[in-house]
Amino acid sequence: MSESMPAAPSGDHRTVLLRGGEVHSPADPFATAMVVERGHVAWVGSEGAADAFASGVDEVVDLEGALVTPAFVDAHVHTTATGFALTGLDLSSAASLAEAAERIRAHAAARPGDRVLLGHGWDASRWPERRPLTRDELDGLTGGRPLYLTRIDVHSAVVTTAMLDLVPGVRDLDGFHDGLRPLTGDAHHAVRAAAFGAVSARQRTEAQRAARSRAASLGIGTLHECGGPRISSEEDFTGLLDLAREEVGPRVVGYWADLDVERARDLGALGAAGDLFADGSLGSHTACLHEPYADHADTGAAHLDAATVALHVVACTEAGLQAGFHAIGDAAVTAVVEGFRAAADKLGPARIRAARHRVEHVEMLTPETIAAFAELGLTASVQPAFDALWGGEEGMYADRLGAERARTLNPYAALLRAGVPLAFGSDSPVTPLDPWGTVRAAAFHRTPGHRISARAAFTAHTRGGWRAVGRDDAGTLVPGAPADYAVWRTEELVVQAPDDRVARWSTDPRSGTPGLPDLSPGADLPVCLRTVVHGRTVFARPDA
């Protein structure tokens, strides 16, 4: 699979010595210096040994005590939508329906020339009114213009009447509701296609640049783009891959969520995978469950059965591509696992394991499905910020499922104990690009039994993302690895104690384990000073 990785842009291949800091490397837990040559790590070691390299390099960088780590990999991103949220109408921080309404009114007034108004991020479960905006209210706020406004999970949307009028037949599609309820299912997908179809190529490119720029400023060196015919468009997907090849910035690895395996290959995707929907989301009541929701008298929506999953896994495996699915509810996860088992029965488990197929989100797991993930070598591509945002005894998950079922969600510790590979991402714009916040969310999971060490979480957000695309030679700062790294301003480094009490930390260097920043709740997160991809600087903080 590594042959399909995007090529790094050609550029400056000077030899650089970084010294006088802290280098997070398993090759030397006490390293303070690193040499980069021709886009790869050439050496890591101590300050004294660095003197021998100083006269033979093109540049010496004084780290002034800064921390150097591998660049992060965000394993699940919607890049263009992220860019639109960064540059446009983002309601994720709106504290009430009234505040959201005022932001919509102001955005519409500020964008008189936009054919369609786009917005994202409302979450009525966190508003005192506990309801979304109605269609009539939106019509009044926008002056009757087309508006497409996605819920924070992007699995439902509220729209204006003018937006519906751009989609002939939408009122007859599954998932169309009256103006008091959001659109879901086929009706939502049809409206989304029309909304993004009204966006110009220039607007898309500007949004993609904005998202890649934000990622680079946060120490993210690689993005896994999750596109697909029900999510974006072929033009959006291929345009992003072209942009990443041509312009300096984070790498982009593309996944195209389509049962048409050859089409995914033709578009340059590493897999016919990503958000290939087996179900929807918990927030929108569309995740597929074995038992009904606690606050809604149904079990969600199933989009793929086990037989369809099996056919797709076989086709991808035989084509040398990764298969992958979006599965959140326990019934959807069960269908996906049964499909992978059927594919393994046909092709042999060794071929399935070797292909490193992946499943996105997998929030509602059981001991049996966790064991199946381990047996079949499936990567769990997960988003710890979901728990930080919606977990806990009074969070949205508890509203949807009841407290007992909610406590079983996102069991990262059980996955690691079983040997399931983890790759961390944000699902941005569902949750923001925030790699250190993601590591913190996993280390301080709202359900203590699901917490993992900061070291394991950091690994899942760096090396885990590379492993998820078939690369075992990257994501750590060791000789021969790609020189994808970030430089951070942070406080004293600590080592988490190797026991279940995740809040215990040590600063004792005799541990022999590379330290990490203190990620305890309330502690300041590291500030990115520089991000480097394949030896090329893609971000430098102006005041650094």
Side-chain angles (χ1 to χ4, degrees):
M1 287 183 288
S2 60
E3 291 81 358
S4 298
M5 284 287 290
S10 60
D12 185 0
H13 284 309
R14 295 178 303 160
T15 302
V16 178
L17 167 65
L18 298 92
R19 65 183 306 179
E22 301 281 352
V23 179
H24 185 93
S25 172
D28 182 349
F30 311 113
T32 62
M34 179 172 75
V35 173
V36 173
E37 184 175 30
R38 299 192 62 79
H40 289 77
V41 177
W43 172 84
V44 294
S46 66
E47 193 63 27
D51 290 336
F53 294 96
S55 62
V57 299
D58 299 306
E59 181 183 3
V60 177
V61 175
D62 183 359
L63 293 169
E64 300 180 343
L67 170 67
V68 182
T69 71
F72 286 102
V73 177
D74 194 310
H76 193 118
V77 176
H78 304 286
T79 306
T80 306
T82 296
F84 284 130
L86 290 170
T87 60
L89 176 58
D90 182 4
L91 300 181
S92 59
S93 63
S96 67
L97 184 149
E99 181 181 341
E102 185 52 42
R103 291 191 191 184
I104 294 167
R105 189 193 309 277
H107 181 75
R111 305 295 288 261
D114 287 6
R115 182 183 170 195
V116 169
L117 298 167
L118 301 175
H120 166 74
W122 60 270
D123 184 358
S125 71
R126 296 190 292 156
W127 292 348
E129 299 87 351
R130 306 290 288 184
R131 68 167 180 86
L133 287 146
T134 67
R135 193 166 303 146
D136 286 345
E137 288 170 334
L138 293 173
D139 288 345
L141 293 168
T142 60
R145 296 167 62 192
L147 167 69
Y148 170 71
L149 187 58
T150 49
R151 189 185 182 278
I152 193 167
D153 59 12
V154 200
H155 284 270
S156 59
V158 291
V159 301
T160 57
T161 303
M163 186 71 241
L164 292 177
D165 292 342
L166 296 179
V167 190
V170 67
R171 291 169 174 81
D172 298 323
L173 295 178
D174 178 62
F176 179 84
H177 304 293
D178 60 33
L180 302 179
R181 297 171 58 196
L183 302 178
T184 59
D186 292 341
H188 175 216
H189 297 144
V191 171
R192 174 164 50 195
F196 283 102
V199 173
S200 70
R202 177 188 57 80
Q203 288 173 299
R204 284 200 306 268
T205 300
E206 289 176 353
Q208 291 164 357
R209 286 184 177 133
R212 293 180 75 226
S213 177
R214 174 61 65 89
S217 75
L218 296 169
I220 298 171
T222 300
L223 301 170
H224 294 184
E225 166 66 13
C226 292
R230 300 178 72 182
I231 302 164
S232 53
S233 69
E234 293 184 0
E235 293 78 14
D236 178 85
F237 185 75
T238 56
L240 174 62
L241 297 184
D242 289 342
L243 183 74
R245 281 189 288 265
E246 295 163 2
E247 297 186 4
V248 170
R251 285 183 176 86
V252 176
V253 180
Y255 288 95
W256 185 250
D258 199 338
L259 293 173
D260 186 341
V261 174
E262 290 307 313
R263 189 61 189 148
R265 184 201 295 279
D266 290 345
L267 293 174
L270 190 68
D275 275 331
L276 187 51
F277 296 121
D279 67 344
S281 75
L282 291 165
S284 291
H285 293 103
T286 53
C288 190
L289 312 181
H290 285 304
E291 301 294 332
Y293 285 87
D295 62 348
H296 207 255
D298 64 30
T299 56
H303 300 311
L304 298 172
D305 59 18
T308 303
V309 169
L311 289 171
H312 187 63
V313 172
V314 169
C316 286
T317 305
E318 292 182 333
L321 295 180
Q322 284 180 292
F325 306 89
H326 162 122
I328 287 180
D330 49 3
V333 174
T334 296
V336 167
V337 164
E338 289 176 351
F340 272 107
R341 284 198 184 281
D345 290 342
K346 179 177 177 63
L347 299 179
R351 288 187 68 185
I352 299 300
R353 287 194 295 268
R356 296 196 187 181
H357 301 305
R358 52 190 284 174
V359 188
E360 311 298 314
H361 314 309
V362 288
E363 295 199 80
M364 294 184 72
L365 289 154
T366 64
E368 293 74 23
T369 50
I370 290 172
F373 266 62
E375 176 189 349
L376 296 165
L378 305 179
T379 295
S381 171
V382 297
Q383 295 73 40
F386 287 6
D387 174 73
L389 189 60
W390 298 311
E393 295 296 307
E394 298 181 357
M396 182 270 289
Y397 290 150
D399 288 346
R400 295 292 184 268
L401 302 173
E404 183 176 352
R405 273 192 297 178
R407 282 192 289 268
T408 69
L409 263 59
N410 301 300
Y412 303 139
L415 286 163
L416 281 184
R417 284 194 299 269
V420 176
L422 294 182
F424 280 0
S426 62
D427 200 8
S428 182
V430 174
T431 67
L433 300 169
D434 180 16
W436 285 114
T438 296
V439 174
R440 171 188 277 170
F444 293 92
H445 197 295
R446 289 180 179 272
T447 303
H450 297 333
R451 293 174 179 173
I452 62 176
S453 71
R455 182 183 181 191
F458 179 77
T459 299
H461 217 347
T462 51
R463 191 174 187 182
W466 283 95
R467 281 181 47 84
V469 297
R471 293 280 297 270
D472 293 327
D473 61 339
T476 58
L477 299 180
V478 298
D484 283 28
Y485 62 91
V487 181
W488 307 91
R489 181 170 63 235
T490 188
E491 301 300 324
E492 184 179 28
L493 303 184
V494 295
V495 176
Q496 188 175 308
D499 62 20
D500 292 336
R501 288 163 290 180
V502 174
R504 284 186 52 189
W505 303 86
S506 169
T507 58
D508 188 346
R510 293 173 298 177
S511 68
T513 300
L516 287 169
D518 183 357
L519 302 177
S520 301
D524 291 337
L525 293 176
V527 175
C528 184
L529 304 177
R530 184 175 297 270
T531 305
V532 175
V533 174
H534 196 64
R536 298 188 69 181
T537 296
V538 300
F539 167 77
R541 183 167 294 279
D543 57 353

mmCIF file of all heavy atoms in Angstrom, residues 244-283:
data_model
loop_
_atom_site.group_PDB
_atom_site.id
_atom_site.type_symbol
_atom_site.label_atom_id
_atom_site.label_comp_id
_atom_site.label_asym_id
_atom_site.label_seq_id
_atom_site.Cartn_x
_atom_site.Cartn_y
_atom_site.Cartn_z
ATOM 1 N N ALA A 244 -2.301 19.228 -2.649
ATOM 2 C CA ALA A 244 -1.309 18.742 -1.694
ATOM 3 C C ALA A 244 -0.015 18.331 -2.389
ATOM 4 O O ALA A 244 1.064 18.418 -1.793
ATOM 5 C CB ALA A 244 -1.887 17.576 -0.898
ATOM 6 N N ARG A 245 -0.112 17.868 -3.630
ATOM 7 C CA ARG A 245 1.102 17.523 -4.363
ATOM 8 C C ARG A 245 1.853 18.767 -4.837
ATOM 9 O O ARG A 245 3.080 18.756 -4.945
ATOM 10 C CB ARG A 245 0.753 16.647 -5.571
ATOM 11 C CG ARG A 245 0.491 15.191 -5.236
ATOM 12 C CD ARG A 245 0.365 14.349 -6.488
ATOM 13 N NE ARG A 245 -0.881 14.609 -7.193
ATOM 14 C CZ ARG A 245 -1.985 13.887 -7.030
ATOM 15 N NH1 ARG A 245 -1.997 12.882 -6.174
ATOM 16 N NH2 ARG A 245 -3.079 14.178 -7.715
ATOM 17 N N GLU A 246 1.103 19.831 -5.116
ATOM 18 C CA GLU A 246 1.702 21.001 -5.756
ATOM 19 C C GLU A 246 2.144 22.076 -4.772
ATOM 20 O O GLU A 246 3.050 22.865 -5.093
ATOM 21 C CB GLU A 246 0.687 21.607 -6.738
ATOM 22 C CG GLU A 246 0.359 20.693 -7.904
ATOM 23 C CD GLU A 246 -0.920 21.107 -8.632
ATOM 24 O OE1 GLU A 246 -1.515 22.141 -8.234
ATOM 25 O OE2 GLU A 246 -1.320 20.398 -9.577
ATOM 26 N N GLU A 247 1.522 22.161 -3.614
ATOM 27 C CA GLU A 247 1.811 23.241 -2.682
ATOM 28 C C GLU A 247 2.351 22.690 -1.370
ATOM 29 O O GLU A 247 1.977 21.606 -0.930
ATOM 30 C CB GLU A 247 0.545 24.069 -2.419
ATOM 31 C CG GLU A 247 0.014 24.774 -3.654
ATOM 32 C CD GLU A 247 -1.145 25.708 -3.335
ATOM 33 O OE1 GLU A 247 -1.494 25.859 -2.137
ATOM 34 O OE2 GLU A 247 -1.700 26.293 -4.286
ATOM 35 N N VAL A 248 3.223 23.461 -0.754
ATOM 36 C CA VAL A 248 3.791 23.081 0.526
ATOM 37 C C VAL A 248 2.689 23.028 1.583
ATOM 38 O O VAL A 248 1.814 23.890 1.638
ATOM 39 C CB VAL A 248 4.871 24.097 0.936
ATOM 40 C CG1 VAL A 248 5.306 23.868 2.374
ATOM 41 C CG2 VAL A 248 6.074 23.985 0.011
ATOM 42 N N GLY A 249 2.741 22.021 2.417
ATOM 43 C CA GLY A 249 1.757 21.875 3.482
ATOM 44 C C GLY A 249 1.710 20.435 3.944
ATOM 45 O O GLY A 249 2.524 19.598 3.513
ATOM 46 N N PRO A 250 0.771 20.100 4.825
ATOM 47 C CA PRO A 250 0.641 18.708 5.266
ATOM 48 C C PRO A 250 0.357 17.769 4.102
ATOM 49 O O PRO A 250 -0.304 18.133 3.129
ATOM 50 C CB PRO A 250 -0.553 18.764 6.235
ATOM 51 C CG PRO A 250 -0.594 20.182 6.711
ATOM 52 C CD PRO A 250 -0.156 20.999 5.538
ATOM 53 N N ARG A 251 0.880 16.564 4.218
ATOM 54 C CA ARG A 251 0.514 15.507 3.272
ATOM 55 C C ARG A 251 -1.001 15.268 3.343
ATOM 56 O O ARG A 251 -1.605 15.455 4.389
ATOM 57 C CB ARG A 251 1.180 14.191 3.635
ATOM 58 C CG ARG A 251 2.653 14.071 3.319
ATOM 59 C CD ARG A 251 3.096 12.652 3.700
ATOM 60 N NE ARG A 251 4.485 12.418 3.348
ATOM 61 C CZ ARG A 251 5.509 12.735 4.124
ATOM 62 N NH1 ARG A 251 5.267 13.312 5.290
ATOM 63 N NH2 ARG A 251 6.750 12.489 3.742
ATOM 64 N N VAL A 252 -1.556 14.778 2.251
ATOM 65 C CA VAL A 252 -2.961 14.360 2.248
ATOM 66 C C VAL A 252 -3.037 12.960 1.663
ATOM 67 O O VAL A 252 -2.580 12.720 0.539
ATOM 68 C CB VAL A 252 -3.857 15.318 1.442
ATOM 69 C CG1 VAL A 252 -5.286 14.773 1.391
ATOM 70 C CG2 VAL A 252 -3.843 16.715 2.060
ATOM 71 N N VAL A 253 -3.572 12.039 2.436
ATOM 72 C CA VAL A 253 -3.841 10.675 1.989
ATOM 73 C C VAL A 253 -5.341 10.569 1.785
ATOM 74 O O VAL A 253 -6.121 10.874 2.689
ATOM 75 C CB VAL A 253 -3.369 9.639 3.021
ATOM 76 C CG1 VAL A 253 -3.664 8.223 2.528
ATOM 77 C CG2 VAL A 253 -1.885 9.805 3.306
ATOM 78 N N GLY A 254 -5.760 10.139 0.599
ATOM 79 C CA GLY A 254 -7.172 10.158 0.268
ATOM 80 C C GLY A 254 -7.857 8.815 0.401
ATOM 81 O O GLY A 254 -7.346 7.798 -0.081
ATOM 82 N N TYR A 255 -9.031 8.828 1.023
ATOM 83 C CA TYR A 255 -9.930 7.672 1.048
ATOM 84 C C TYR A 255 -11.243 8.086 0.396
ATOM 85 O O TYR A 255 -11.797 9.150 0.702
ATOM 86 C CB TYR A 255 -10.188 7.204 2.485
ATOM 87 C CG TYR A 255 -8.997 6.516 3.103
ATOM 88 C CD1 TYR A 255 -8.101 7.213 3.899
ATOM 89 C CD2 TYR A 255 -8.759 5.161 2.863
ATOM 90 C CE1 TYR A 255 -6.997 6.583 4.459
ATOM 91 C CE2 TYR A 255 -7.653 4.524 3.419
ATOM 92 C CZ TYR A 255 -6.780 5.237 4.212
ATOM 93 O OH TYR A 255 -5.689 4.617 4.763
ATOM 94 N N TRP A 256 -11.744 7.228 -0.499
ATOM 95 C CA TRP A 256 -12.966 7.508 -1.226
ATOM 96 C C TRP A 256 -14.000 6.455 -0.845
ATOM 97 O O TRP A 256 -13.832 5.263 -1.099
ATOM 98 C CB TRP A 256 -12.708 7.498 -2.735
ATOM 99 C CG TRP A 256 -13.884 7.899 -3.567
ATOM 100 C CD1 TRP A 256 -14.626 7.093 -4.381
ATOM 101 C CD2 TRP A 256 -14.449 9.214 -3.682
ATOM 102 N NE1 TRP A 256 -15.613 7.819 -4.997
ATOM 103 C CE2 TRP A 256 -15.534 9.129 -4.591
ATOM 104 C CE3 TRP A 256 -14.154 10.442 -3.115
ATOM 105 C CZ2 TRP A 256 -16.319 10.230 -4.921
ATOM 106 C CZ3 TRP A 256 -14.922 11.543 -3.450
ATOM 107 C CH2 TRP A 256 -15.988 11.432 -4.350
ATOM 108 N N ALA A 257 -15.078 6.885 -0.217
ATOM 109 C CA ALA A 257 -16.076 5.979 0.360
ATOM 110 C C ALA A 257 -17.067 5.530 -0.709
ATOM 111 O O ALA A 257 -18.141 6.120 -0.861
ATOM 112 C CB ALA A 257 -16.799 6.662 1.511
ATOM 113 N N ASP A 258 -16.711 4.495 -1.433
ATOM 114 C CA ASP A 258 -17.522 4.057 -2.573
ATOM 115 C C ASP A 258 -17.410 2.544 -2.701
ATOM 116 O O ASP A 258 -16.318 1.982 -2.566
ATOM 117 C CB ASP A 258 -17.005 4.733 -3.852
ATOM 118 C CG ASP A 258 -18.014 4.722 -4.988
ATOM 119 O OD1 ASP A 258 -18.924 3.866 -4.972
ATOM 120 O OD2 ASP A 258 -17.876 5.558 -5.885
ATOM 121 N N LEU A 259 -18.538 1.897 -2.968
ATOM 122 C CA LEU A 259 -18.500 0.463 -3.243
ATOM 123 C C LEU A 259 -17.866 0.157 -4.597
ATOM 124 O O LEU A 259 -17.521 -0.995 -4.881
ATOM 125 C CB LEU A 259 -19.916 -0.125 -3.185
ATOM 126 C CG LEU A 259 -20.578 -0.123 -1.795
ATOM 127 C CD1 LEU A 259 -22.029 -0.571 -1.901
ATOM 128 C CD2 LEU A 259 -19.813 -1.002 -0.816
ATOM 129 N N ASP A 260 -17.704 1.159 -5.451
ATOM 130 C CA ASP A 260 -17.041 1.014 -6.743
ATOM 131 C C ASP A 260 -15.528 1.098 -6.522
ATOM 132 O O ASP A 260 -14.945 2.183 -6.477
ATOM 133 C CB ASP A 260 -17.510 2.105 -7.700
ATOM 134 C CG ASP A 260 -16.973 1.926 -9.105
ATOM 135 O OD1 ASP A 260 -15.971 1.205 -9.284
ATOM 136 O OD2 ASP A 260 -17.537 2.536 -10.037
ATOM 137 N N VAL A 261 -14.896 -0.049 -6.365
ATOM 138 C CA VAL A 261 -13.487 -0.094 -5.997
ATOM 139 C C VAL A 261 -12.610 0.517 -7.088
ATOM 140 O O VAL A 261 -11.664 1.262 -6.800
ATOM 141 C CB VAL A 261 -13.076 -1.555 -5.711
ATOM 142 C CG1 VAL A 261 -11.576 -1.673 -5.462
ATOM 143 C CG2 VAL A 261 -13.866 -2.089 -4.517
ATOM 144 N N GLU A 262 -12.902 0.215 -8.345
ATOM 145 C CA GLU A 262 -12.079 0.750 -9.427
ATOM 146 C C GLU A 262 -12.196 2.261 -9.514
ATOM 147 O O GLU A 262 -11.232 2.951 -9.860
ATOM 148 C CB GLU A 262 -12.459 0.092 -10.760
ATOM 149 C CG GLU A 262 -12.053 -1.357 -10.855
ATOM 150 C CD GLU A 262 -10.566 -1.563 -10.548
ATOM 151 O OE1 GLU A 262 -9.735 -0.797 -11.091
ATOM 152 O OE2 GLU A 262 -10.241 -2.454 -9.747
ATOM 153 N N ARG A 263 -13.377 2.803 -9.207
ATOM 154 C CA ARG A 263 -13.508 4.253 -9.243
ATOM 155 C C ARG A 263 -12.635 4.891 -8.171
ATOM 156 O O ARG A 263 -12.003 5.925 -8.402
ATOM 157 C CB ARG A 263 -14.976 4.659 -9.028
ATOM 158 C CG ARG A 263 -15.227 6.143 -9.275
ATOM 159 C CD ARG A 263 -14.881 6.512 -10.697
ATOM 160 N NE ARG A 263 -14.906 7.935 -10.952
ATOM 161 C CZ ARG A 263 -14.107 8.548 -11.822
ATOM 162 N NH1 ARG A 263 -13.210 7.844 -12.508
ATOM 163 N NH2 ARG A 263 -14.197 9.843 -12.013
ATOM 164 N N ALA A 264 -12.612 4.282 -6.999
ATOM 165 C CA ALA A 264 -11.753 4.801 -5.934
ATOM 166 C C ALA A 264 -10.292 4.789 -6.376
ATOM 167 O O ALA A 264 -9.553 5.764 -6.150
ATOM 168 C CB ALA A 264 -11.937 3.982 -4.663
ATOM 169 N N ARG A 265 -9.860 3.712 -7.013
ATOM 170 C CA ARG A 265 -8.476 3.640 -7.488
ATOM 171 C C ARG A 265 -8.210 4.718 -8.532
ATOM 172 O O ARG A 265 -7.187 5.408 -8.500
ATOM 173 C CB ARG A 265 -8.198 2.264 -8.076
ATOM 174 C CG ARG A 265 -6.743 2.072 -8.499
ATOM 175 C CD ARG A 265 -6.609 0.944 -9.514
ATOM 176 N NE ARG A 265 -6.963 -0.336 -8.962
ATOM 177 C CZ ARG A 265 -6.130 -1.084 -8.211
ATOM 178 N NH1 ARG A 265 -4.943 -0.630 -7.900
ATOM 179 N NH2 ARG A 265 -6.525 -2.244 -7.759
ATOM 180 N N ASP A 266 -9.153 4.902 -9.468
ATOM 181 C CA ASP A 266 -8.958 5.885 -10.533
ATOM 182 C C ASP A 266 -8.835 7.303 -9.989
ATOM 183 O O ASP A 266 -8.148 8.146 -10.579
ATOM 184 C CB ASP A 266 -10.127 5.821 -11.524
ATOM 185 C CG ASP A 266 -10.122 4.537 -12.347
ATOM 186 O OD1 ASP A 266 -9.093 3.838 -12.366
ATOM 187 O OD2 ASP A 266 -11.178 4.237 -12.951
ATOM 188 N N LEU A 267 -9.495 7.565 -8.867
ATOM 189 C CA LEU A 267 -9.449 8.900 -8.277
ATOM 190 C C LEU A 267 -8.189 9.141 -7.453
ATOM 191 O O LEU A 267 -7.980 10.251 -6.956
ATOM 192 C CB LEU A 267 -10.678 9.127 -7.399
ATOM 193 C CG LEU A 267 -12.024 9.199 -8.123
ATOM 194 C CD1 LEU A 267 -13.161 9.288 -7.120
ATOM 195 C CD2 LEU A 267 -12.064 10.399 -9.070
ATOM 196 N N GLY A 268 -7.355 8.117 -7.305
ATOM 197 C CA GLY A 268 -6.122 8.268 -6.547
ATOM 198 C C GLY A 268 -6.250 7.971 -5.074
ATOM 199 O O GLY A 268 -5.389 8.362 -4.282
ATOM 200 N N ALA A 269 -7.290 7.248 -4.686
ATOM 201 C CA ALA A 269 -7.505 6.929 -3.281
ATOM 202 C C ALA A 269 -6.664 5.736 -2.857
ATOM 203 O O ALA A 269 -6.414 4.813 -3.643
ATOM 204 C CB ALA A 269 -8.979 6.630 -3.026
ATOM 205 N N LEU A 270 -6.244 5.757 -1.593
ATOM 206 C CA LEU A 270 -5.530 4.622 -1.031
ATOM 207 C C LEU A 270 -6.489 3.483 -0.713
ATOM 208 O O LEU A 270 -6.094 2.328 -0.653
ATOM 209 C CB LEU A 270 -4.800 5.053 0.244
ATOM 210 C CG LEU A 270 -3.822 4.056 0.843
ATOM 211 C CD1 LEU A 270 -2.617 3.874 -0.066
ATOM 212 C CD2 LEU A 270 -3.360 4.522 2.219
ATOM 213 N N GLY A 271 -7.757 3.821 -0.502
ATOM 214 C CA GLY A 271 -8.742 2.801 -0.204
ATOM 215 C C GLY A 271 -10.129 3.245 -0.587
ATOM 216 O O GLY A 271 -10.424 4.441 -0.666
ATOM 217 N N ALA A 272 -10.992 2.261 -0.871
ATOM 218 C CA ALA A 272 -12.426 2.523 -1.027
ATOM 219 C C ALA A 272 -13.005 2.413 0.375
ATOM 220 O O ALA A 272 -13.598 1.405 0.765
ATOM 221 C CB ALA A 272 -13.054 1.530 -1.987
ATOM 222 N N ALA A 273 -12.797 3.455 1.136
ATOM 223 C CA ALA A 273 -12.932 3.361 2.591
ATOM 224 C C ALA A 273 -13.225 4.741 3.161
ATOM 225 O O ALA A 273 -13.523 5.680 2.430
ATOM 226 C CB ALA A 273 -11.629 2.794 3.184
ATOM 227 N N GLY A 274 -13.138 4.828 4.489
ATOM 228 C CA GLY A 274 -13.443 6.076 5.172
ATOM 229 C C GLY A 274 -14.897 6.094 5.575
ATOM 230 O O GLY A 274 -15.397 5.161 6.208
ATOM 231 N N ASP A 275 -15.615 7.133 5.158
ATOM 232 C CA ASP A 275 -17.017 7.258 5.530
ATOM 233 C C ASP A 275 -17.929 6.526 4.548
ATOM 234 O O ASP A 275 -18.860 7.105 3.982
ATOM 235 C CB ASP A 275 -17.413 8.725 5.647
ATOM 236 C CG ASP A 275 -17.088 9.308 7.009
ATOM 237 O OD1 ASP A 275 -17.088 8.533 7.989
ATOM 238 O OD2 ASP A 275 -16.821 10.512 7.105
ATOM 239 N N LEU A 276 -17.661 5.233 4.375
ATOM 240 C CA LEU A 276 -18.590 4.351 3.672
ATOM 241 C C LEU A 276 -19.596 3.907 4.726
ATOM 242 O O LEU A 276 -19.324 3.044 5.565
ATOM 243 C CB LEU A 276 -17.841 3.173 3.064
ATOM 244 C CG LEU A 276 -18.623 2.228 2.161
ATOM 245 C CD1 LEU A 276 -19.386 2.972 1.079
ATOM 246 C CD2 LEU A 276 -17.677 1.212 1.534
ATOM 247 N N PHE A 277 -20.769 4.511 4.698
ATOM 248 C CA PHE A 277 -21.659 4.487 5.851
ATOM 249 C C PHE A 277 -22.333 3.130 6.054
ATOM 250 O O PHE A 277 -23.132 2.694 5.234
ATOM 251 C CB PHE A 277 -22.750 5.549 5.701
ATOM 252 C CG PHE A 277 -22.227 6.959 5.696
ATOM 253 C CD1 PHE A 277 -22.449 7.789 4.610
ATOM 254 C CD2 PHE A 277 -21.514 7.444 6.774
ATOM 255 C CE1 PHE A 277 -21.977 9.086 4.599
ATOM 256 C CE2 PHE A 277 -21.023 8.736 6.776
ATOM 257 C CZ PHE A 277 -21.252 9.570 5.691
ATOM 258 N N ALA A 278 -22.018 2.494 7.196
ATOM 259 C CA ALA A 278 -22.827 1.372 7.662
ATOM 260 C C ALA A 278 -24.012 1.877 8.475
ATOM 261 O O ALA A 278 -25.015 1.189 8.617
ATOM 262 C CB ALA A 278 -21.988 0.414 8.502
ATOM 263 N N ASP A 279 -23.872 3.096 9.036
ATOM 264 C CA ASP A 279 -24.973 3.739 9.755
ATOM 265 C C ASP A 279 -24.701 5.227 9.823
ATOM 266 O O ASP A 279 -23.882 5.749 9.050
ATOM 267 C CB ASP A 279 -25.163 3.112 11.148
ATOM 268 C CG ASP A 279 -24.012 3.373 12.125
ATOM 269 O OD1 ASP A 279 -22.916 3.776 11.665
ATOM 270 O OD2 ASP A 279 -24.203 3.177 13.347
ATOM 271 N N GLY A 280 -25.378 5.923 10.757
ATOM 272 C CA GLY A 280 -25.238 7.364 10.861
ATOM 273 C C GLY A 280 -24.553 7.774 12.148
ATOM 274 O O GLY A 280 -23.451 7.326 12.440
ATOM 275 N N SER A 281 -25.217 8.610 12.952
ATOM 276 C CA SER A 281 -24.595 9.124 14.173
ATOM 277 C C SER A 281 -25.577 9.045 15.340
ATOM 278 O O SER A 281 -26.797 9.014 15.151
ATOM 279 C CB SER A 281 -24.161 10.574 13.973
ATOM 280 O OG SER A 281 -25.286 11.441 14.004
ATOM 281 N N LEU A 282 -25.032 9.050 16.537
ATOM 282 C CA LEU A 282 -25.871 9.016 17.732
ATOM 283 C C LEU A 282 -26.618 10.330 17.915
ATOM 284 O O LEU A 282 -27.797 10.346 18.271
ATOM 285 C CB LEU A 282 -25.009 8.714 18.959
ATOM 286 C CG LEU A 282 -24.435 7.301 19.005
ATOM 287 C CD1 LEU A 282 -23.330 7.213 20.044
ATOM 288 C CD2 LEU A 282 -25.533 6.285 19.309
ATOM 289 N N GLY A 283 -25.935 11.449 17.687
ATOM 290 C CA GLY A 283 -26.570 12.741 17.891
ATOM 291 C C GLY A 283 -27.793 12.950 17.028
ATOM 292 O O GLY A 283 -28.769 13.578 17.457
#
